[in-house]
Amino acid sequence: ERYVRSGNLEAAIAEFEKLLGGGEDDVAITNIIGDLNIRLGRREQGIAVFLGNAGRLEKKGAYAQALAVMKKVVRLAPSDSGIADQTGDLYARLGFVPEAKAEFLRAAGMLTAAEDREKLLSVFKKLTKLDPDDEDVLEQLGRLHAASGHPDEAVSAMNAAAVRLVKRENFQKAEKILYDALVIKPTEPATISALARLYLRERRADEALTLVRDAAKQYGAPELWILLAEVYTETGRDAE
């Protein structure tokens, strides 16, 4: 501390490192070392020390303390997607959903700019788990899956987004998403069913009938023939 007061920060770091005795378990001392590195302009070294502390605290289950350290790191490295992602994980673990979502979305923005699809997909999976009713996140997750060559996962997420949009009576956007999902996987009965029911809800019975009848004839899935029978019944064509 005498070295710190006199401004001899290099000597202060050396003395604090002696106190550690070759270990790094004393978070209070290592945090001081990190702060001193920052004051000396050694930003990367300081961040590395803080990240190490956050990791050790997280392993011990001291999530609130780990988050406090990560908040400091975020201020030092606001443009690091990995740090935003890690901070989001801690917020989520502690139940701070809006804060976690904000950090994950920050990470997603940076990863989108970097065109890192694999990490971006991972972040959107976390966002969906955090808030399963966010149709925008579900739609983006689906489109990411499609771009990554995962058609089943893509249509599943996009169908879920459409269902939520229908509940909000945003029929136009729901129809667009379902149509795009059909382009990705034309044979998916769940998508065909959702789109047909949307048409029926909007009193577009002929479109619903044409969609299901053509799909049943083209793909022949039993679910589609059952759906066709339902559409006939709902449109008053019981005999057919």
Side-chain angles (χ1 to χ4, degrees):
E1 291 180 2
R2 184 177 69 253
Y3 287 128
V4 173
R5 287 194 297 270
S6 67
N8 191 347
L9 303 186
E10 292 283 10
I13 289 174
E15 289 301 314
F16 279 119
E17 286 176 344
K18 288 179 185 177
L19 289 175
L20 288 174
E24 294 182 327
D25 287 337
D26 193 319
V27 173
I29 292 177
T30 48
N31 265 338
I32 293 171
I33 292 171
D35 286 331
L36 293 173
N37 273 296
I38 297 299
R39 287 175 62 180
L40 284 167
R42 298 199 287 249
R43 178 175 163 276
E44 295 303 321
Q45 285 177 255
I47 289 173
V49 171
F50 296 139
L51 287 175
N53 277 349
R56 282 186 288 276
L57 288 165
E58 190 172 359
K59 283 182 180 178
K60 293 177 180 178
Y63 303 120
Q65 289 174 271
L67 179 58
V69 175
M70 288 305 299
K71 285 180 181 179
K72 181 185 292 190
V73 178
V74 168
R75 289 193 295 271
L76 292 167
S79 301
D80 189 308
S81 61
I83 287 170
D85 187 20
Q86 187 176 343
T87 306
D89 285 335
L90 284 167
Y91 273 125
R93 190 181 284 274
L94 288 165
F96 299 129
V97 174
E99 292 84 354
K101 194 170 181 179
E103 286 302 314
F104 288 142
L105 287 172
R106 259 190 354 102
M110 289 181 269
L111 291 167
T112 299
E115 298 183 353
D116 192 334
R117 189 182 298 156
E118 185 177 347
K119 289 181 181 178
L120 187 58
L121 191 56
S122 172
V123 170
F124 269 97
K125 286 178 181 177
K126 293 178 184 180
L127 279 164
T128 305
K129 186 176 180 180
L130 196 66
D131 186 359
D133 291 323
D134 189 323
E135 62 269 13
D136 291 330
V137 169
L138 283 165
E139 180 188 356
Q140 291 181 71
L141 176 63
R143 295 189 187 282
L144 277 169
H145 272 305
S148 301
H150 311 144
D152 291 342
E153 293 86 348
V155 297
S156 176
M158 293 171 78
N159 287 348
V163 167
R164 285 153 179 78
L165 285 164
V166 168
K167 286 181 180 178
R168 297 175 186 268
E169 299 189 351
N170 189 342
F171 303 129
Q172 186 175 0
K173 187 173 181 181
E175 182 178 350
K176 172 68 167 60
I177 291 173
L178 289 169
Y179 181 81
D180 290 347
L182 276 181
V183 172
I184 295 165
K185 191 179 179 186
T187 60
E188 178 55 53
T191 309
I192 296 167
S193 175
L195 187 54
R197 294 187 189 289
L198 189 153
Y199 286 154
L200 290 171
R201 185 163 178 170
E202 291 192 298
R203 301 181 187 277
R204 296 157 64 185
D206 288 343
E207 289 177 76
L209 186 57
T210 299
L211 170 69
V212 180
R213 184 170 54 206
D214 290 351
K217 288 179 179 177
Q218 184 172 357
Y219 306 122
E223 304 100 306
L224 295 176
W225 289 108
I226 293 169
L227 177 61
L228 179 59
E230 290 177 8
V231 172
Y232 275 133
T233 300
E234 289 185 33
T235 54
R237 306 181 192 186
D238 293 347
E240 293 177 86

